[in-house]
Amino acid sequence: MPSSTSNFKRILRLPRLFFRTPTEAESVHGGPPLEFERPIPQIPWRGMTVVVVLVVIGAALAWEFYCRSIGYGPTLNDNEDLWTITRQRVRPESVVIIGDSRGWFDLDLDELQKGLGIRPVQLAMGGGCGYPVLADLADDKTFHGTIICSFVPRLFFAPPGTPPMERGEKAVRRSHTQTPAQQASQYIAMPLEERVAPRLPPYFGTLDRERRARMIEQCARPGSELQKRIQQIWLPLFTPPPPPSYVPKDVFMAKMKDAIETRFRDTVRAVEKLRARGGKIVFVRLPVSGGLKALEDQTTPRKQTWDPLLQGTRAPGIYFEDFPELASFNCPEWSHLSAGDSVEFSKRLVPHLRAALGM
Amino acid sequence: MLFNSLTFVVFFVVVVTAYWSIHSWTARKNLLVTASYIFYGAWNPPFAALLFSTTAMDFWLGRQIAKAKGSSRRAWLVASVCMNLSMLGFFKYGNFLLENFQWLLARIGIIYHPPHLDILLPVGISFYTFHSLSYTLDIYRGVLQPTRSLRDFILAVSFFPQLVAGPIVRAGDFLPQLVRPPALRIGQFMWGLLLMTLGLFEKIVLADTMLAGSADRIFGYAGPLVALDSWLGVIAFGSQIFFDFAGYSTCAIGAALCLGFHLKDNFRFPYAAIGFSDFWRRWHISLSTFLRDYLYIPLGGNRVGWTRAAINLVIVMFLGGLWHGAAWTFVVWGLLHGFYLVIEHASRALVGEQAWTDNFAVKLLLGFVTYGAVCLAWVFFRASDFTIATRMLRGMFGGYPHGDAILATREILQIGIVTFFMMLAHWSLRETNVETAVTRLPRWVVTAAWALMACAIILTQGSSNAFIYFQF
């Protein structure tokens, strides 16, 4: 015990066993005497606990009311465990959606199920690169189904070590290492998140247990403040970062070029591996609007990204701008379709998917 | 199962409710054994079998040591030590040893490519190996009689609050608590809950939310950093690892109290340490006392000559560093602390006990020198390789006057404010402890602090980051 023990004897009510020698019964273990017991502060515990419980419940309720008053609502958190649970639903013949958040928001599972005859499994990731998931499915010898890969060049070609790539890698890693405790936590968390846990900003969509995302009404409303705020989030995110100060520009650019070429090669390899088992893949360029479209067209032009990807992989692709019925949609916050539009868009996309996949 | 996970909340509520509802002490202990194995198996069920087999072996070896006479006592102890350390060695150091063996062969011109062992490190193996080993060591030392109950020993090793990340609770400290059932005391139970709240607050809010991001960014930055950012990154990590590990220990102590068990302190305001001996009396106390009692003292401690005692210190700290992880960076961290301790012992021998050293300003100065040196050593603990460590140290000592400044003002403020209040708390409480502080504080302050911590935990909605010490 620390030397302050004697102070405790004065200040605190010491437990009965504090300094006594062990009884006969206790010497079964023959251990040292029970000279250690933690001192317990003698304060009015019951009253304090009641106050703490009331304050915490009150604060949680106040936070919930506040969040709802500013338009926030409950939604599932998209984490690696939810992704892993969804990944476990993939069967050998499954149709799997991979890629980024446009695959999440823009593709309606009900419509795709109606059109394709099978309900897709949603494995796309917000702000994520689809490549790690593609590689994982290509390495999964049991899988010979169909992949619908949403393609956003800046995310798909994100080099190793960057957040989009790490997001995908972390999810895949978790799917191979998820512990029973992590899985249980996810199942316990979901009912809570669906009812009482508002997300922290930016909140503009909801996610369900199938990982289908829907844009909230407030964001889809033309000219809303939230819509404008979200639009401004995309621009810096999709603007190429300046080279780091400690690497000469030409060295950095050469490294980036090399990383992109490597990703092309790896993607081709993964697609061939999948195809060798009878699997199929279709790349989909989903709608983008406004300032973000201009930025993407400028920094990642179709000729340098989409076209070589399809040529290299010899895979079919659907570019929304190639089809008037797909190009007529507007993304309210520039990057994703509204919940209502996503249903109609998916309905119109189905014939193109069937044609591309030879269904 | 992480303390900061919903699974643990449900698990704990169920276990505590069932535990206090059962009258039979035997049934309660059986419940705790089952709960502890579920707690452990929830990570990786097969590793529960490994835990059981090492425990059962040490139980049996403990009896053999007690029965044996003369040199066979030592032989049984050697068997126990070898069994435990080889298990630890295989799972934790297998690849490290192979890689270094390969490197050594390459130095003499032999090219050897060992197969990479795909070994999954059983969580908490460093901790439960020491829990178990303390039993046979104490029986050999004659300070503990072997227990007759395998179930009690299993519980002593696997008691879930302490199982995976400490404190390292010696069987001799825990087994006597299994003799008689503890009574449910409301104050003790509530104090346990308050400690759990404090521990989770330290982990989720302070370590994960306020500090981890900045420390990760600084140590993960591939370029040169200015001195301010380098120092702030190291300071952020120093605070983060304290809140992370002390948070886990506090949770463990609180959870044990809720079940009527008493675990000793594992931290005692270490950043207010004056000198390195003092630091190790305050930081990870259960490990430092373990190494002291089972390694430093058997090596001769400070009863041998000055040089030998210095070598002993370095050996202990070398192994202490290696215990933390299979990497040379951890070894350097341990050796640095060994070096600090040797310097301190030499200074004491030269200067002796002078009156002027009892001055508060001198103590404060020495305390900050200690803190600075400890932070310096954290560089090797946190850096994943020597390139990063060297770059960090160079940055800290002004090697990159035109380096990058990547921390935002908000991050600088977060690190500064959290570390300032942490230091204030450590220096205010260095001669006392939390229990005394809580007893002396006005009731409303304690109530408000408890409620605020609970609210902050709920609102930050921790992302269930694993505790840093799980990897050790």
Side-chain angles (χ1 to χ4, degrees), chain B residues 93-105 114 116 326:
Chain B
Y93 303 103
N95 280 319
F96 178 69
L97 290 173
L98 270 180
E99 284 161 18
N100 283 284
F101 183 59
Q102 181 189 15
W103 182 86
L104 267 178
L105 288 179
H116 182 81

Side-chain angles (χ1 to χ4, degrees), chain A residues 180-198:
Chain A
Q182 286 164 338
Q183 195 167 32
S185 273
Q186 183 59 32
Y187 279 114
I188 296 167
M190 284 195 290
L192 279 175
E193 290 172 3
E194 285 168 340
R195 285 168 182 82
V196 293

Side-chain angles (χ1 to χ4, degrees), chain A residues 8 29 38 179-181 185 245, chain B residues 7 145 147 262-263 265 404 433:
Chain A
F8 277 121
H29 300 302
R38 297 194 68 84
T179 66
S185 273
S245 61
Chain B
T7 318
Q145 288 292 314
T147 174
H262 296 257
L263 309 184
D265 285 337
D404 297 329
N433 52 32

Side-chain angles (χ1 to χ4, degrees), chain B residues 62-96:
Chain B
R63 297 180 84 136
Q64 302 310 310
I65 293 169
K67 273 196 286 188
K69 300 265 182 261
S71 61
S72 54
R73 267 171 67 77
R74 181 180 284 255
W76 286 117
L77 177 73
V78 169
S80 169
V81 171
C82 287
M83 191 266 297
N84 282 288
L85 296 188
S86 58
M87 194 83 80
L88 193 59
F90 174 75
F91 283 104
K92 191 164 174 176
Y93 303 103
N95 280 319
F96 178 69

